[in-house]
């Protein structure tokens, strides 16, 4: 039976604000922090139930609003393998969060337990963490009340990055098994990454220091710890590390700023020398944007598509050199936002699939390859080695020194890459490994292909739910007739491509357009926006 007394007593301390409708979307719950107290309490309870349903496996809860402004916050659940919450539970999260009174909440809980056949006698374990937002501490205490109310065991992972929380969940659940993911501590994470990195770059000279824009977020203290583990193997210069300055988080800095403005954060101007490269993390360090200044100090952005191109080509080469190309097939997953030039570059080298926006879609599709590389243009992504591929790598016997070296590199990449979710710091080390092996500067990396000019605009519409898409969001099926009009417009532009989709995180519709000339991409975007409006 549900512990009704503690559930009711603690639920009373976290009443749901009237008139607000919550929704567990692509990024979990995310909104202005001041209304989230009841949501956090209920997520604590739900995490406990999910753990019981999965036989006491540890469930993760991350309190963050990523690249959103400082006054926002959010929360998402992490499943036992370190992946996003199973989508079939998203509606349960939404339903629980919207129960108006304590009675409604208890009724929703009883319904859940019954329909999902949850055995309440099972143990429940939850590990949680938060980013540096000022609202985080009080939201975590609401979460702790929820965990307590359902009688679950909680573990506080403190202030850390989203990808480290995902790592911890997987490490805890695989502890002591043959699939052990590493020690279930922050130290275990740093050791795993830094050891693999050092082996991968053992033959090169000390590199130029890399500048990291930490978005004034949790990436700053975590990168500072990473610096100690990396030592001379990778000198890092941390910028925008003002985590306690009010209003600084994600403000005119960070990966989202760089991607949307295609500019160097003003705080870095003068801090980066011509020819030097740097990168930006977002507020919870799961997105990464690279950039460099050319010799005329012009800014150039290297986004998630450029990372995918760099990394996928490198892995394909290693697989071939190791002699494993008949056993290991490498593939790439992108979304419709991937620059057309990147899709062309990649398609000439390996299979490429396009899926709907959102990490869960990309991650899931990447699991279908032996090695699946996925990156969103916005800098979120990772590489997945399938279990069968990991076995192949563990048991394969190379027959030449070249094969043996390539195999060793693949094994170390398997350790270096955080495969639970996109991880800016792990991805950054991955990029640095490839650049070192190829002896590429930012310029050479950038010239793998030339981005097609593009433009993204958002349109406020009366009801964004009217906009429904198919074919991985590339075609509108509703409103009727609109896609036809878009097609007619697109045809008139050289290299034209455009699509329209409702945002999953904001109350807007997004319009993306590409063309071979910048002015034409802008014009196409605005004309399609005109059709939508
Ligand atoms: C969320 C997604 C991100 C996606 C973005 C699109 C996760 C963890 N995050 O932040 O992958 O790119 O939404 O936002 O899935 P939009 O729907 O507003 O364009
Ligand atoms: Zn993020």
């Amino acid at each position: 039976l549900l512990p009704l007394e503690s559930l009711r007593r603690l639920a009373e301390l976290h009443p749901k604000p009237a008139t607000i409708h919550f929704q567990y979307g692509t990024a979990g719950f995310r909104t202005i922090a001041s209304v989230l107290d009841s949501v956090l309490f209920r997520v604590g309870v739900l995490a406990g139930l999910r753990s019981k349903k999965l036989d006491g496996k540890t469930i993760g809860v991350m309190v963050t609003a990523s690249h959103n402004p400082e006054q926002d916050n959010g929360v998402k659940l992490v499943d036992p393998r370190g992946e996003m919450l199973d989508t079939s539970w998203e509606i349960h999260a939404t339903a629980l969060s919207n129960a108006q009174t304590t009675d409604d909440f208890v009724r929703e809980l009883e319904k859940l337990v019954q329909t999902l056949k949850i055995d309440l006698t099972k143990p429940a374990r939850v590990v949680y963490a938060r980013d540096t937002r000022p609202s985080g501490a009080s939201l975590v205490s609401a979460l702790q009340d929820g965990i307590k109310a359902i009688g679950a065991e909680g573990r506080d992972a403190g202030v850390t990055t989203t990808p480290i929380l995902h790592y911890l969940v997987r490490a805890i659940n695989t502890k002591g098994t043959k699939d052990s993911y590493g020690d279930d501590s922050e130290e275990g994470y740093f050791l795993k990454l830094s050891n693999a990195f050092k082996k991968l770059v053992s033959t090169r000279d000390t590199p130029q220091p890399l500048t990291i824009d930490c978005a004034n977020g949790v990436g700053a203290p975590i990168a500072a710890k990473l610096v100690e583990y990396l030592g001379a193997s990778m000198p890092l210069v941390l910028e925008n590390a003002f985590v306690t300055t009010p209003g600084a988080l994600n403000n005119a800095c960070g990966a989202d700023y760089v991607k949307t403005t295609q500019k160097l954060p003003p705080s870095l101007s003068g801090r980066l020398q011509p020819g030097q490269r740097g990168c930006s993390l977002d507020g919870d360090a799961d997105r990464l944007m690279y950039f460099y200044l050319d010799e005329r100090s012009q800014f150039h952005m290297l986004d998630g598509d450029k990372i995918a191109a760099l990394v996928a080509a490198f892995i394909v080469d290693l697989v071939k050199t190791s002699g494993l190309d008949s056993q290991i097939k490498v593939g790439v997953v992108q979304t419709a936002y991937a620059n057309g030039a990147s899709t062309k570059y990649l398609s000439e080298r390996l299979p490429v699939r396009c899926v709907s926006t959102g990490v869960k879609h990309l991650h899931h599709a990447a699991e279908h390859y032996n090695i699946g590389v996925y990156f969103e243009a916005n800098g979120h992504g990772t590489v997945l080695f399938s279990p069968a591929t990991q076995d192949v790598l563990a048991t394969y016997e190379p027959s030449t020194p070249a094969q043996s070296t390539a195999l060793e590199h693949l094994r170390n990449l398997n350790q270096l890459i955080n495969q639970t979710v996109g991880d800016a710091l792990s991805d950054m080390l991955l990029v640095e490994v490839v650049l070192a092996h190829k002896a590429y500067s930012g310029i050479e990396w950038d010239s793998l292909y030339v981005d097609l000019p593009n433009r993204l605009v958002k349109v406020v519409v009366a009801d964004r739910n009217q906009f429904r898409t198919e074919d991985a969001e590339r075609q509108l099926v509703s409103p009727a007739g609109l896609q036809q009009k878009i097609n007619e417009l697109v045809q008139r532009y050289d290299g034209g491509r455009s699509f329209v989709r409702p945002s999953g995180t904001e109350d807007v519709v997004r319009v993306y357009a590409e063309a071979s000339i910048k002015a034409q991409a802008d014009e196409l975007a605005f004309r399609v926006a005109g059709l939508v409006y």
Side-chain angles (χ1 to χ4, degrees):
L1 273 180
L2 281 165
L4 288 179
E5 189 280 324
S6 78
L7 277 167
R8 282 184 186 281
R9 182 172 45 82
L10 289 165
E12 286 295 321
L13 302 177
H14 304 282
K16 175 185 177 292
T19 73
I20 296 186
H21 181 83
F22 297 107
Q23 189 172 356
Y24 195 98
T26 36
F29 293 108
R30 191 179 294 183
T31 183
I32 183 94
S34 54
V35 303
L36 276 170
D37 184 81
S38 62
V39 171
L40 268 287
F41 172 76
R42 293 164 185 202
V43 163
V45 175
L46 185 70
L49 286 183
R50 177 108 184 115
S51 175
K52 284 177 188 289
K53 174 72 191 173
L54 300 176
D55 217 9
K57 290 227 168 55
T58 296
I59 297 295
V61 178
M62 183 69 202
V63 181
T64 179
S66 188
H67 58 277
N68 282 37
E70 188 168 297
Q71 63 272 21
D72 286 1
N73 215 326
V75 60
K76 52 188 169 190
L77 288 135
V78 178
D79 261 355
R81 290 178 45 77
E83 288 147 359
M84 305 273 162
L85 174 70
D86 189 286
T87 46
S88 67
W89 274 56
E90 292 180 2
I91 50 166
H92 306 321
T94 299
L96 268 194
S97 69
N98 288 309
Q100 193 55 51
T101 64
T102 297
D103 284 340
D104 297 339
F105 172 60
V106 168
R107 259 195 301 276
E108 277 298 334
L109 278 179
E110 285 170 336
K111 211 167 81 189
L112 260 185
V113 170
Q114 219 166 58
T115 47
L116 297 170
K117 301 194 174 62
I118 297 172
D119 179 353
L120 291 169
T121 64
K122 292 278 162 91
R125 299 181 185 90
V126 182
V127 59
Y128 52 91
R130 65 176 175 97
D131 68 15
T132 55
R133 276 163 213 274
S135 57
S138 94
L139 290 177
V140 161
S141 63
L143 175 75
Q144 286 167 331
D145 276 356
I147 293 170
K148 194 159 77 182
I150 191 72
E153 183 190 313
R155 171 172 159 185
D156 188 352
V159 174
T160 196
T161 68
T162 295
I164 289 182
L165 191 267
H166 284 252
Y167 166 91
L168 287 175
V169 172
R170 175 108 148 228
I172 291 169
N173 286 310
T174 55
K175 199 171 179 162
T177 73
K178 72 163 183 45
D179 298 322
S180 170
Y181 199 59
D183 188 62
D184 62 329
S185 63
E186 225 174 46
E187 163 147 52
Y189 167 88
F190 289 125
L191 282 173
K192 184 175 176 183
L193 266 60
S194 59
N195 286 339
F197 179 77
K198 286 175 191 166
K199 289 183 198 158
L200 281 157
V201 295
S202 60
T203 55
R204 72 161 171 182
D205 303 332
T206 301
Q208 287 279 321
L210 175 70
T211 295
I212 310 182
D213 157 21
C214 299
N216 297 313
V218 68
I222 297 299
K225 291 184 198 168
L226 183 62
V227 165
E228 291 169 28
Y229 288 86
L230 292 172
S233 69
M234 188 69 232
L236 301 172
V237 177
L238 307 188
E239 298 282 359
N240 293 327
F242 303 107
V243 293
T244 55
T245 304
L249 177 67
N250 297 324
N251 189 1
C253 61
D256 196 61
Y257 174 87
V258 170
K259 179 63 183 169
T260 51
T261 64
Q262 314 205 1
K263 288 198 180 88
L264 185 72
S267 48
L268 292 193
S269 84
R271 321 276 295 176
L272 210 62
Q273 303 311 311
Q276 212 191 336
R277 65 177 174 273
C279 61
S280 287
L281 319 177
D282 74 341
D284 62 340
D286 64 350
R287 283 197 200 178
L288 178 68
M289 276 291 141
Y290 261 80
F291 43 80
Y292 69 97
L293 299 183
D294 65 19
E295 55 291 2
R296 292 179 300 123
S297 285
Q298 285 282 340
F299 171 81
H300 297 267
M301 180 178 77
L302 296 150
D303 66 1
D305 298 338
K306 282 268 152 85
I307 297 175
L310 181 76
V311 165
F314 180 65
I315 292 178
V316 165
D317 282 352
L318 285 178
V319 169
K320 197 175 284 170
T321 312
S322 66
L324 283 165
D325 42 339
S326 64
Q327 292 174 67
I328 298 178
K329 298 291 173 209
V330 186
V332 175
V333 185
Q334 300 187 308
T335 72
Y337 289 114
N339 193 279
S342 80
T343 310
K344 180 168 179 290
Y345 174 89
L346 285 162
S347 305
E348 286 162 4
R349 288 159 178 81
L350 68 170
V352 179
R353 252 197 84 185
C354 181
V355 300
S356 297
T357 303
V359 172
K360 61 190 175 201
H361 298 116
L362 289 123
H363 194 94
H364 190 67
E367 284 176 327
H368 292 283
Y369 295 115
N370 300 135
I371 298 179
V373 178
Y374 75 82
F375 275 90
E376 288 190 288
N378 66 24
H380 188 113
T382 185
V383 181
L384 304 181
F385 291 66
S386 76
T389 301
Q390 305 204 25
D391 287 345
V392 169
L393 292 180
T395 54
Y396 178 64
E397 288 180 13
S399 41
T400 67
Q403 287 190 347
S404 162
T405 306
L407 175 68
E408 228 14 71
H409 289 335
L410 285 169
R411 287 177 178 160
N412 288 323
L413 288 177
N414 184 32
Q415 298 294 311
L416 177 69
I417 298 166
N418 185 345
Q419 298 180 40
T420 60
V421 77
D423 180 337
L425 293 173
S426 161
D427 289 341
M428 173 191 85
L429 295 177
L430 172 61
V431 165
E432 291 301 315
V433 164
V434 185
L435 294 178
H437 279 247
K438 296 264 182 194
Y440 278 174
S441 67
I443 301 169
E444 287 148 322
W445 173 14
D446 200 16
S447 59
L448 290 180
Y449 63 83
V450 180
D451 270 325
L452 278 170
N454 59 88
R455 183 72 186 243
L456 183 63
V457 291
K458 45 178 159 177
V459 187
V460 179
V461 294
D463 175 14
R464 80 183 198 277
N465 296 319
Q466 276 191 9
F467 291 79
R468 275 181 282 119
T469 62
E470 63 179 13
D471 188 24
E473 303 178 319
R474 290 172 292 190
Q475 300 284 326
L476 277 175
V477 289
S478 145
L482 187 50
Q483 186 62 48
Q484 181 61 30
K485 289 189 187 147
I486 295 171
N487 294 348
E488 283 160 15
L489 252 186
V490 166
Q491 267 180 15
R492 295 190 232 148
Y493 290 80
D494 184 45
R497 180 169 77 91
S498 180
F499 66 92
V500 174
R501 59 175 279 277
S503 160
T505 62
E506 278 182 85
D507 195 8
V508 297
V509 164
R510 297 197 201 284
V511 175
Y512 177 88
E514 250 173 37
S516 43
I517 302 168
K518 176 67 179 146
Q520 299 268 290
D522 291 344
E523 187 185 294
L524 178 57
F526 284 105
R527 292 185 70 177
V528 172
L531 293 176
V532 165
Y533 185 66

